[in-house]
Amino acid sequence: MALEQKPGDLQADPLVALEGAEDLPAIELTDPLWRIRLRLLWRNFKKNWGLFAENKIGLVGLFIIGVFALMAIAHPVLMATVWGGDNTEIYDPVIGYDAVVKEFIVVEVVTDPLSEIELIDARFTNINAQVGDIISQPQQPAPPSSKHLLGTDPLGRDVLSQLMFSTRAAFFLGMVAALVTVFIATTVGSMAAFFRGFVDSFLMRLADLILLMPLIPILIVIGGFWTIELWQLGVIIGVLNGFGGVAIVLRSQALAVSVKPFVDAARVAGGSKWHLIFRHVIPNVLPLSFLYMMFGVTEAISLEAVLSFFGLLNVDMSWGLMISVAQAEGYLLRGLDVWWLLFPAGMAVSVLAAAFFLVGRAMDEVVNPRLRQR
Amino acid sequence: MTTEAHVEVKNLEKRYPVQKSVFRSAKDFIHAVDGVNFSIAPGESLGLVGESGCGKTTTGRMLVKLLEATSGQVLLKTDGEVVDIANITDKDDLKSFRSDVQMIFQDPFESMNPRRTVYDTIAEPLTVQRIGTVPERETKVAELLNLVGLTPAESFMFRFPHELSGGQRQRVAIARALIVDPTFVVADEPTSMLDVSIRISVMDLMLKLAERLDVSYLYITHDLAVARYMCDRIAVMYLGKIVELAPTEDLLANPMHPYTKALLSAVPVPDPSYKRPPVEIKGGISKSINPQPRCRFYDRCPMAREDICGPQDHPPLEEKAPDHWVACYLVDKQSA
């Protein structure tokens, strides 16, 4: 053996000395363990943040989320100051009312809804109205003005106030749905992968069943029987996702983790099943879980819009409800004439959902090193 | 020999069913380990050598209770008492078993959780078995790190596996195995994934520790050179059977079983002008699904004789020369 060297004297091993020279901040052992762990977490976070920030898409998503978060925070502040006091009646997103009285020309067929009024509508105000008459009546919806920056809705409520107020509901729903999804899916996926056999078959067939169920029709049916509160919707979405598709994805990840030698090593060290699952399998699945949490938020926000649009959600005000009101009052097909009824709410749903998706994509690159463009 | 054996393996078998389904119980079995017998004396290191798929890793995993044996016994002597490890089911017994018997894994890149620090990894046996307080564990981990040559310990303690080289990781793996003061360690090819340059220092480390801590090793490897460096005795495995078992130098100088001879003739020789004799054995390794009841090596054996080997079952492991056990009908008993 040409490589033979003197046994012992390991400190002199040149390789160890070389590789040990990486300059990491020296950690003093006098610190309590938790503080060292905190510092390691922080270091890890900084590293991952660096990777995340390399991807501009993720930063854009984060920025948009930040803007919406500001909107959500700003609403109660505005209600307490500018929109508060005597103005509360005007700007309250749910029960506020403000409409400028304006003169309309009575016509047979409306071409300009902001200055003309159909005969049949005019007769609600004045039973004797004729085509060609000019009648005064409160204008609702009203187009944007300095008083109402995004106009008012068909019931005379301030659209901007509604839009900002609804942001809170969207975040709340997204958080509930995402947390429930991730909690259930991580547990279910890890258990299925770890225990295999019957547990695995049962949970995965259940997931297949849930995947087969059409989510929106089922929610409509549920909404038809019971009043669904916002948090209940979050829990329902979370449970269906958590036992369904996300569980399948996380299980496949957990499967790859639970056959790794370090799990065997922990078993030889004397770790119990739960130690193996919670200390070894789940921490290695968790990054992917967080990723699906982001996608879960996207899904929840879109679903909320759909359900409120059908009026099946017991919620004071939400983006979907804003569109629903416009639709109920017959403005859905008016298109650009009454853009402030549809666009702000529709855009808010799309943009916030997209923002979470973008953050998810950027996180994907942190979690899956293979996706990194280098 | 029984009385002084630290670990004794008797007729150990592991069979895996093939094509099992809910509606049909398996008809075919892979005989991964098929009646293996050996014993390891205290402080001895026994090498288990064989080609891939011959069941050496399965044997090792059964010894540390990562796998349940289909049949057979593994007797372990702890505190002067001999216990069959299959009977260790009680929580406290299992705990003491886990601190008596440890394992070092083959792949240093996969045998450490990438999300846990070196400290977490090494202290894991202590943590899960609730041994000592946190400061005590820290001291012990630092001590072990020094012992395996990762100094200064403070700078290694809170690194993550990806911040270490392969050799450093395998040192950490060794430290993890040794932190509970085991008396018996199964080392499953601990150096096969390492660069040749680091291999020797890790092997030296293991030898040094074995001497200092009085540990017995079962050293699983496919590399005869490694086995020679590390082991007092070598057992050669072929298709789930031990075909030859002898003290290292005796086995290498005087191989008796045709498979061992073939194995030794395949060892690389650092001489470019060396002419390798033609490989004597024919064919490739056969499958171990429901093997025929005759010598496992029959189909490939250059010496096989139909009149002797054909009609008989796999030959028993017999002492053909003093302390030199061979499983072959064609090897004559020698007396020396």
Side-chain angles (χ1 to χ4, degrees), chain A residues 48-62 358-366 371-374:
Chain A
N48 285 333
W49 170 254
L51 284 173
F52 181 87
E54 267 179 31
N55 194 335
K56 296 294 170 276
I57 284 181
L59 289 182
V60 169
L62 217 53
L358 293 182
V359 172
R361 284 305 302 276
M363 273 176 69
D364 205 1
E365 290 192 19
V366 178
L371 295 178
R372 269 174 227 158
Q373 297 160 343
R374 287 197 190 164

mmCIF file of all heavy atoms in Angstrom, chain A residues 48-62 358-366 371-374:
data_model
loop_
_atom_site.group_PDB
_atom_site.id
_atom_site.type_symbol
_atom_site.label_atom_id
_atom_site.label_comp_id
_atom_site.label_asym_id
_atom_site.label_seq_id
_atom_site.Cartn_x
_atom_site.Cartn_y
_atom_site.Cartn_z
ATOM 1 N N ASN A 48 -30.605 31.805 2.521
ATOM 2 C CA ASN A 48 -31.755 31.526 1.670
ATOM 3 C C ASN A 48 -32.341 32.803 1.089
ATOM 4 O O ASN A 48 -32.812 32.816 -0.041
ATOM 5 C CB ASN A 48 -32.824 30.764 2.455
ATOM 6 C CG ASN A 48 -32.414 29.328 2.659
ATOM 7 O OD1 ASN A 48 -31.662 28.784 1.869
ATOM 8 N ND2 ASN A 48 -32.884 28.741 3.735
ATOM 9 N N TRP A 49 -32.302 33.868 1.886
ATOM 10 C CA TRP A 49 -32.814 35.137 1.400
ATOM 11 C C TRP A 49 -31.983 35.605 0.204
ATOM 12 O O TRP A 49 -32.513 36.098 -0.786
ATOM 13 C CB TRP A 49 -32.802 36.189 2.516
ATOM 14 C CG TRP A 49 -33.091 37.544 1.978
ATOM 15 C CD1 TRP A 49 -32.208 38.553 1.799
ATOM 16 C CD2 TRP A 49 -34.348 38.025 1.504
ATOM 17 N NE1 TRP A 49 -32.824 39.634 1.248
ATOM 18 C CE2 TRP A 49 -34.153 39.337 1.052
ATOM 19 C CE3 TRP A 49 -35.633 37.475 1.421
ATOM 20 C CZ2 TRP A 49 -35.168 40.117 0.520
ATOM 21 C CZ3 TRP A 49 -36.650 38.241 0.891
ATOM 22 C CH2 TRP A 49 -36.427 39.545 0.452
ATOM 23 N N GLY A 50 -30.667 35.393 0.304
ATOM 24 C CA GLY A 50 -29.793 35.734 -0.804
ATOM 25 C C GLY A 50 -30.207 35.024 -2.083
ATOM 26 O O GLY A 50 -30.277 35.629 -3.153
ATOM 27 N N LEU A 51 -30.491 33.721 -1.937
ATOM 28 C CA LEU A 51 -30.916 32.946 -3.106
ATOM 29 C C LEU A 51 -32.245 33.455 -3.639
ATOM 30 O O LEU A 51 -32.454 33.591 -4.842
ATOM 31 C CB LEU A 51 -31.062 31.471 -2.719
ATOM 32 C CG LEU A 51 -29.768 30.706 -2.574
ATOM 33 C CD1 LEU A 51 -30.044 29.315 -2.014
ATOM 34 C CD2 LEU A 51 -29.081 30.597 -3.920
ATOM 35 N N PHE A 52 -33.145 33.747 -2.699
ATOM 36 C CA PHE A 52 -34.478 34.209 -3.079
ATOM 37 C C PHE A 52 -34.393 35.551 -3.800
ATOM 38 O O PHE A 52 -35.027 35.774 -4.828
ATOM 39 C CB PHE A 52 -35.338 34.336 -1.823
ATOM 40 C CG PHE A 52 -36.746 34.774 -2.083
ATOM 41 C CD1 PHE A 52 -37.748 33.860 -2.373
ATOM 42 C CD2 PHE A 52 -37.089 36.117 -2.030
ATOM 43 C CE1 PHE A 52 -39.034 34.257 -2.615
ATOM 44 C CE2 PHE A 52 -38.380 36.538 -2.268
ATOM 45 C CZ PHE A 52 -39.357 35.594 -2.565
ATOM 46 N N ALA A 53 -33.555 36.427 -3.257
ATOM 47 C CA ALA A 53 -33.482 37.791 -3.790
ATOM 48 C C ALA A 53 -32.828 37.835 -5.157
ATOM 49 O O ALA A 53 -32.997 38.789 -5.901
ATOM 50 C CB ALA A 53 -32.731 38.683 -2.819
ATOM 51 N N GLU A 54 -32.070 36.766 -5.489
ATOM 52 C CA GLU A 54 -31.478 36.726 -6.817
ATOM 53 C C GLU A 54 -32.558 36.700 -7.889
ATOM 54 O O GLU A 54 -32.334 37.107 -9.019
ATOM 55 C CB GLU A 54 -30.627 35.461 -6.964
ATOM 56 C CG GLU A 54 -29.192 35.665 -6.623
ATOM 57 C CD GLU A 54 -28.425 34.362 -6.760
ATOM 58 O OE1 GLU A 54 -28.786 33.536 -7.601
ATOM 59 O OE2 GLU A 54 -27.473 34.185 -5.995
ATOM 60 N N ASN A 55 -33.704 36.188 -7.516
ATOM 61 C CA ASN A 55 -34.784 36.028 -8.474
ATOM 62 C C ASN A 55 -35.722 37.227 -8.396
ATOM 63 O O ASN A 55 -36.434 37.402 -7.406
ATOM 64 C CB ASN A 55 -35.537 34.737 -8.117
ATOM 65 C CG ASN A 55 -36.434 34.306 -9.234
ATOM 66 O OD1 ASN A 55 -36.853 35.138 -10.042
ATOM 67 N ND2 ASN A 55 -36.727 33.035 -9.295
ATOM 68 N N LYS A 56 -35.707 38.049 -9.426
ATOM 69 C CA LYS A 56 -36.471 39.299 -9.359
ATOM 70 C C LYS A 56 -37.977 39.037 -9.294
ATOM 71 O O LYS A 56 -38.729 39.795 -8.684
ATOM 72 C CB LYS A 56 -36.135 40.177 -10.574
ATOM 73 C CG LYS A 56 -34.682 40.628 -10.593
ATOM 74 C CD LYS A 56 -34.378 41.563 -9.431
ATOM 75 C CE LYS A 56 -32.900 41.835 -9.281
ATOM 76 N NZ LYS A 56 -32.148 40.838 -8.524
ATOM 77 N N ILE A 57 -38.405 37.941 -9.923
ATOM 78 C CA ILE A 57 -39.824 37.596 -9.915
ATOM 79 C C ILE A 57 -40.349 37.522 -8.479
ATOM 80 O O ILE A 57 -41.400 38.061 -8.149
ATOM 81 C CB ILE A 57 -40.039 36.246 -10.621
ATOM 82 C CG1 ILE A 57 -39.932 36.445 -12.129
ATOM 83 C CG2 ILE A 57 -41.389 35.655 -10.277
ATOM 84 C CD1 ILE A 57 -40.161 35.175 -12.913
ATOM 85 N N GLY A 58 -39.569 36.859 -7.639
ATOM 86 C CA GLY A 58 -39.973 36.694 -6.252
ATOM 87 C C GLY A 58 -40.065 38.040 -5.546
ATOM 88 O O GLY A 58 -40.977 38.297 -4.764
ATOM 89 N N LEU A 59 -39.117 38.932 -5.849
ATOM 90 C CA LEU A 59 -39.132 40.249 -5.206
ATOM 91 C C LEU A 59 -40.360 41.046 -5.643
ATOM 92 O O LEU A 59 -40.993 41.729 -4.827
ATOM 93 C CB LEU A 59 -37.861 41.021 -5.549
ATOM 94 C CG LEU A 59 -36.591 40.478 -4.894
ATOM 95 C CD1 LEU A 59 -35.409 41.353 -5.257
ATOM 96 C CD2 LEU A 59 -36.758 40.401 -3.386
ATOM 97 N N VAL A 60 -40.695 40.936 -6.942
ATOM 98 C CA VAL A 60 -41.896 41.613 -7.422
ATOM 99 C C VAL A 60 -43.118 41.098 -6.653
ATOM 100 O O VAL A 60 -43.935 41.876 -6.149
ATOM 101 C CB VAL A 60 -42.075 41.387 -8.944
ATOM 102 C CG1 VAL A 60 -43.446 41.858 -9.395
ATOM 103 C CG2 VAL A 60 -40.988 42.101 -9.710
ATOM 104 N N GLY A 61 -43.211 39.774 -6.547
ATOM 105 C CA GLY A 61 -44.331 39.179 -5.814
ATOM 106 C C GLY A 61 -44.386 39.691 -4.391
ATOM 107 O O GLY A 61 -45.442 40.094 -3.886
ATOM 108 N N LEU A 62 -43.218 39.719 -3.756
ATOM 109 C CA LEU A 62 -43.169 40.169 -2.366
ATOM 110 C C LEU A 62 -43.589 41.630 -2.254
ATOM 111 O O LEU A 62 -44.298 42.022 -1.319
ATOM 112 C CB LEU A 62 -41.739 39.989 -1.853
ATOM 113 C CG LEU A 62 -41.596 39.536 -0.407
ATOM 114 C CD1 LEU A 62 -42.408 38.287 -0.146
ATOM 115 C CD2 LEU A 62 -40.135 39.291 -0.086
ATOM 116 N N LEU A 358 -45.980 34.006 -7.574
ATOM 117 C CA LEU A 358 -44.617 34.396 -7.929
ATOM 118 C C LEU A 358 -43.656 34.116 -6.787
ATOM 119 O O LEU A 358 -42.555 33.595 -6.989
ATOM 120 C CB LEU A 358 -44.569 35.884 -8.303
ATOM 121 C CG LEU A 358 -45.311 36.287 -9.573
ATOM 122 C CD1 LEU A 358 -45.137 37.775 -9.831
ATOM 123 C CD2 LEU A 358 -44.828 35.481 -10.754
ATOM 124 N N VAL A 359 -44.087 34.458 -5.573
ATOM 125 C CA VAL A 359 -43.232 34.175 -4.417
ATOM 126 C C VAL A 359 -42.990 32.674 -4.319
ATOM 127 O O VAL A 359 -41.877 32.218 -4.057
ATOM 128 C CB VAL A 359 -43.881 34.719 -3.128
ATOM 129 C CG1 VAL A 359 -43.108 34.256 -1.910
ATOM 130 C CG2 VAL A 359 -43.918 36.232 -3.168
ATOM 131 N N GLY A 360 -44.056 31.908 -4.586
ATOM 132 C CA GLY A 360 -43.918 30.449 -4.566
ATOM 133 C C GLY A 360 -42.895 29.973 -5.578
ATOM 134 O O GLY A 360 -42.038 29.144 -5.266
ATOM 135 N N ARG A 361 -42.965 30.539 -6.781
ATOM 136 C CA ARG A 361 -42.009 30.126 -7.810
ATOM 137 C C ARG A 361 -40.578 30.451 -7.393
ATOM 138 O O ARG A 361 -39.663 29.661 -7.594
ATOM 139 C CB ARG A 361 -42.342 30.807 -9.137
ATOM 140 C CG ARG A 361 -43.520 30.231 -9.864
ATOM 141 C CD ARG A 361 -43.363 28.749 -10.090
ATOM 142 N NE ARG A 361 -42.156 28.434 -10.842
ATOM 143 C CZ ARG A 361 -42.059 28.460 -12.156
ATOM 144 N NH1 ARG A 361 -43.110 28.737 -12.865
ATOM 145 N NH2 ARG A 361 -40.940 28.187 -12.760
ATOM 146 N N ALA A 362 -40.407 31.636 -6.828
ATOM 147 C CA ALA A 362 -39.059 32.020 -6.401
ATOM 148 C C ALA A 362 -38.580 31.108 -5.273
ATOM 149 O O ALA A 362 -37.416 30.716 -5.220
ATOM 150 C CB ALA A 362 -39.046 33.477 -5.962
ATOM 151 N N MET A 363 -39.499 30.745 -4.364
ATOM 152 C CA MET A 363 -39.126 29.829 -3.284
ATOM 153 C C MET A 363 -38.774 28.465 -3.839
ATOM 154 O O MET A 363 -37.906 27.766 -3.316
ATOM 155 C CB MET A 363 -40.279 29.702 -2.293
ATOM 156 C CG MET A 363 -40.251 30.767 -1.226
ATOM 157 S SD MET A 363 -41.681 30.653 -0.166
ATOM 158 C CE MET A 363 -41.366 29.149 0.694
ATOM 159 N N ASP A 364 -39.472 28.089 -4.900
ATOM 160 C CA ASP A 364 -39.198 26.818 -5.548
ATOM 161 C C ASP A 364 -37.723 26.705 -5.900
ATOM 162 O O ASP A 364 -37.103 25.661 -5.768
ATOM 163 C CB ASP A 364 -40.061 26.737 -6.820
ATOM 164 C CG ASP A 364 -40.314 25.295 -7.213
ATOM 165 O OD1 ASP A 364 -39.843 24.406 -6.488
ATOM 166 O OD2 ASP A 364 -40.993 25.068 -8.228
ATOM 167 N N GLU A 365 -37.164 27.833 -6.361
ATOM 168 C CA GLU A 365 -35.762 27.788 -6.756
ATOM 169 C C GLU A 365 -34.834 27.694 -5.556
ATOM 170 O O GLU A 365 -33.738 27.161 -5.661
ATOM 171 C CB GLU A 365 -35.404 29.020 -7.593
ATOM 172 C CG GLU A 365 -36.054 28.954 -8.952
ATOM 173 C CD GLU A 365 -35.500 29.984 -9.902
ATOM 174 O OE1 GLU A 365 -34.406 30.486 -9.638
ATOM 175 O OE2 GLU A 365 -36.184 30.278 -10.889
ATOM 176 N N VAL A 366 -35.280 28.212 -4.425
ATOM 177 C CA VAL A 366 -34.474 28.059 -3.213
ATOM 178 C C VAL A 366 -34.528 26.614 -2.750
ATOM 179 O O VAL A 366 -33.529 26.025 -2.352
ATOM 180 C CB VAL A 366 -34.981 29.002 -2.100
ATOM 181 C CG1 VAL A 366 -34.164 28.810 -0.836
ATOM 182 C CG2 VAL A 366 -34.928 30.439 -2.561
ATOM 183 N N LEU A 371 -33.431 23.861 -10.069
ATOM 184 C CA LEU A 371 -34.104 24.865 -10.872
ATOM 185 C C LEU A 371 -33.297 26.144 -10.999
ATOM 186 O O LEU A 371 -33.614 27.021 -11.781
ATOM 187 C CB LEU A 371 -35.468 25.202 -10.264
ATOM 188 C CG LEU A 371 -36.491 24.074 -10.265
ATOM 189 C CD1 LEU A 371 -37.763 24.527 -9.595
ATOM 190 C CD2 LEU A 371 -36.795 23.665 -11.693
ATOM 191 N N ARG A 372 -32.254 26.260 -10.149
ATOM 192 C CA ARG A 372 -31.500 27.509 -10.157
ATOM 193 C C ARG A 372 -30.814 27.720 -11.494
ATOM 194 O O ARG A 372 -30.199 26.814 -12.055
ATOM 195 C CB ARG A 372 -30.442 27.475 -9.046
ATOM 196 C CG ARG A 372 -30.989 28.052 -7.758
ATOM 197 C CD ARG A 372 -29.976 27.878 -6.649
ATOM 198 N NE ARG A 372 -30.655 27.354 -5.479
ATOM 199 C CZ ARG A 372 -30.038 26.706 -4.512
ATOM 200 N NH1 ARG A 372 -28.756 26.487 -4.580
ATOM 201 N NH2 ARG A 372 -30.718 26.269 -3.484
ATOM 202 N N GLN A 373 -30.920 28.935 -11.989
ATOM 203 C CA GLN A 373 -30.303 29.219 -13.281
ATOM 204 C C GLN A 373 -28.876 29.688 -13.075
ATOM 205 O O GLN A 373 -28.649 30.866 -12.866
ATOM 206 C CB GLN A 373 -31.107 30.293 -14.011
ATOM 207 C CG GLN A 373 -32.508 29.823 -14.309
ATOM 208 C CD GLN A 373 -33.430 30.970 -14.573
ATOM 209 O OE1 GLN A 373 -33.139 32.102 -14.241
ATOM 210 N NE2 GLN A 373 -34.564 30.676 -15.181
ATOM 211 N N ARG A 374 -27.971 28.724 -13.105
ATOM 212 C CA ARG A 374 -26.581 29.140 -12.985
ATOM 213 C C ARG A 374 -25.744 28.418 -14.005
ATOM 214 O O ARG A 374 -25.873 27.248 -14.172
ATOM 215 C CB ARG A 374 -26.050 28.811 -11.589
ATOM 216 C CG ARG A 374 -26.626 29.755 -10.582
ATOM 217 C CD ARG A 374 -25.814 29.704 -9.311
ATOM 218 N NE ARG A 374 -26.500 30.428 -8.253
ATOM 219 C CZ ARG A 374 -26.206 30.299 -6.984
ATOM 220 N NH1 ARG A 374 -25.280 29.463 -6.614
ATOM 221 N NH2 ARG A 374 -26.840 30.992 -6.084
#
